[in-house]
Amino acid sequence: QVQLVESGGGLVQPGGSLRLACAPSGTMFSIYRWGWYRQAPGKQRERVAQITSSGITNYADSVKGRFTISRDNAKSMVYLQMNSLLPDDTAVYYCNRVPEIGQWGQGTQVTVSS
């Protein structure tokens, strides 16, 4: 049974910052590529960032230069540092393996609004 627990979301003004955390359990953390995904109301879920087992990262164009994904293999944690937030970043954010498995956590809500 894989468990994915996201935290760190909240309400911020445009230009603000948030740091999200993901605590997976029930899966071999270190050997997998991990990603952050988001789903806005009425839109498909999309992957915004990913990181390989060795720390190589890739980002969606929409967040490139503003978001940073990182991992701590010793703690089995994945993080997403989000800076210069925009209203279009408003979504529920999830972590999952890449490729994703069919089991998702509760997500954490990020709302960017003045």
Side-chain angles (χ1 to χ4, degrees), residues 1-6 22-30 32 34 75-78 95-97 101 103 105:
Q1 180 78 11
V2 177
Q3 294 177 292
L4 303 167
V5 180
E6 301 92 347
C22 171
S25 64
T27 185
M28 183 68 177
F29 177 87
S30 297
Y32 288 107
W34 287 91
K75 296 181 178 180
S76 296
M77 295 286 290
V78 191
C95 65
N96 210 325
R97 283 153 41 173
I101 59 174
Q103 190 172 349

Side-chain angles (χ1 to χ4, degrees), residues 69-84:
I69 188 172
S70 61
R71 65 191 293 164
D72 186 336
N73 286 337
K75 296 181 178 180
S76 296
M77 295 286 290
V78 191
Y79 304 96
L80 186 68
Q81 179 67 47
M82 305 185 295
N83 299 325
S84 302

